[in-house]
Amino acid sequence: MRPLAVIGNVNVDLILGPAAPWPKAGTEIIVDHDELRVGGSAGNSALAWQALGIEFEIAANIGSDQFGRWLAEAFGHRSEKWPVRPEQTTLSVGITHPDGERTFFTTRGHLPRFSLADVFAVIDGESLRGGYALLCGGFLTDDLTRQYDAFFDWAESHDITIALDTGWPLDGWTKENCTATRAWLSRSGIALFNEVETTTLAGLTDPIEAAREIRSHMPSGAIVVVKRGPDGAIAIGPDGLPVSVAAPVVAVIDTIGAGDVFNAAFLAALAKDEPLISCLGAGTEVASRAISTLPRSYSGPASPQEPLS
């Protein structure tokens, strides 16, 4: 199996809900579900690998408070070299809604100070040579993002394939954010975006054509994956042909981190040199399991959707 690493945003998620309708200002409501858990794109992917028994490395930083210590404890020996920043740890409060969607309130916290030096404090290029590095949270990790050119140079020098998932920009998909993302994709071997991100970047409504357009600006042999939620996933592989899988029909508890879990399972299968369609299947199966279980689980069959009454 090729070596795996994830690099990016790890923070605390407090999940509450479901809430409907949105409460009026000055009022209080009671919700049925709450969960305090490791979050952030990198954190969600790493949790999935950890639960699946996949060997990996994770480069992140933490704040100098009790939440930072709690995050480090969740990853045991893998967090021993994480730099500690003199800021509060980034906290996201996610409010879920009955339709499975969610709203986030997030503090800036420690994430903007995650840097290339922090990556090198954890990950040795030779140990990751020939493997995959999942790069997450590009619009949150300000210091590292400014050093992406040097990061891509380092990855290229060690034959490390970058799998890019930027996440949603805080100020939306502006012209500047799209331009930056296209530049990062030009040096990435794998794109792992959801359907809205894919079609927005490409300026095309059809997800397959949008994936083809994005791939045309990536290195030779690149893979573009389009995560489509309940509609499954599609990909354009090295041969330029599309493949697709359907997603299991499940009773959704919450979708927070679903795409990150997909990324982890997809890359774990890819690192075993499985066919692209099998990698897509692994991603959709594990993500479906995660969003339909409480406490969250990553293995075994997904919880089937309950029959309508």
Side-chain angles (χ1 to χ4, degrees):
M1 182 171 178
R2 300 175 189 269
L4 290 167
V6 59
I7 297 162
N9 52 323
V10 176
N11 55 261
V12 175
D13 276 355
L14 175 59
I15 314 302
L16 299 170
W22 192 257
K24 294 181 180 180
T27 66
E28 180 179 5
I29 64 170
I30 300 296
V31 296
D32 296 329
H33 167 57
D34 71 275
E35 187 175 0
L36 183 70
R37 67 188 186 213
V38 175
S41 295
N44 291 329
S45 296
L47 281 183
W49 278 340
Q50 192 164 272
L52 294 169
I54 304 296
E55 187 54 45
F56 68 96
E57 292 183 286
I58 174 171
N61 69 339
I62 50 176
S64 56
D65 54 10
Q66 68 272 26
F67 276 144
R69 293 189 292 273
W70 180 72
L71 287 174
E73 290 172 0
F75 291 102
H77 72 277
R78 292 188 174 94
S79 65
E80 289 175 354
K81 297 180 181 179
W82 287 2
V84 179
R85 296 294 311 179
E87 284 96 15
Q88 291 185 321
T89 297
T90 302
L91 172 67
S92 280
V93 178
I95 309 299
T96 64
H97 306 292
D99 62 358
E101 289 302 318
R102 68 274 195 200
T103 303
F104 281 108
F105 299 86
T106 302
T107 64
R108 290 193 64 81
H110 71 287
L111 289 180
R113 302 285 72 85
F114 183 52
S115 69
L116 187 59
D118 294 344
V119 175
F120 291 159
V122 177
I123 294 181
D124 173 67
E126 284 304 314
S127 67
L128 193 55
R129 181 175 290 277
Y132 297 100
L134 173 58
L135 182 60
C136 306
F139 294 110
L140 299 172
T141 56
D142 297 359
D143 288 357
L144 177 60
T145 303
R146 283 191 289 268
Q147 300 170 304
Y148 265 9
D149 283 342
F151 172 79
F152 285 119
D153 289 342
W154 168 81
E156 185 177 326
S157 70
H158 291 89
D159 190 29
I160 298 166
T161 299
I162 301 301
L164 183 69
D165 186 347
T166 62
W168 195 270
L170 297 179
D171 54 349
W173 287 100
T174 63
K175 180 179 178 181
E176 292 75 15
N177 289 335
C178 288
T179 298
T181 300
R182 293 189 192 102
W184 303 336
L185 285 166
S186 73
R187 304 194 68 183
S188 301
I190 304 167
L192 294 161
F193 287 175
N194 66 34
E195 185 167 349
V196 174
E197 293 163 345
T198 303
T199 54
T200 300
L201 282 170
L204 298 168
T205 57
D206 181 85
I208 294 178
E209 293 306 313
R212 284 198 174 106
E213 166 61 21
I214 288 173
R215 186 175 175 275
S216 71
H217 300 285
M218 295 175 68
S220 176
I223 298 170
V224 177
V225 175
V226 184
K227 296 172 284 187
R228 308 186 70 199
D231 294 324
I234 61 177
I236 307 294
D239 59 4
L241 299 176
V243 294
S244 64
V245 298
V249 178
V250 297
V252 174
I253 294 176
D254 82 70
T255 61
I256 294 172
D260 308 320
V261 174
F262 176 100
N263 293 347
F266 175 88
L267 289 173
L270 192 66
K272 297 176 183 176
D273 293 324
E274 294 187 15
L276 185 56
I277 194 166
S278 299
C279 299
L280 290 179
T284 54
E285 288 287 343
V286 176
S288 296
R289 172 69 177 175
I291 67 172
S292 63
T293 52
L294 182 67
R296 180 162 281 190
S297 175
Y298 302 90
S299 59
S303 299
Q305 187 173 48
E306 296 175 1
L308 298 175
S309 58

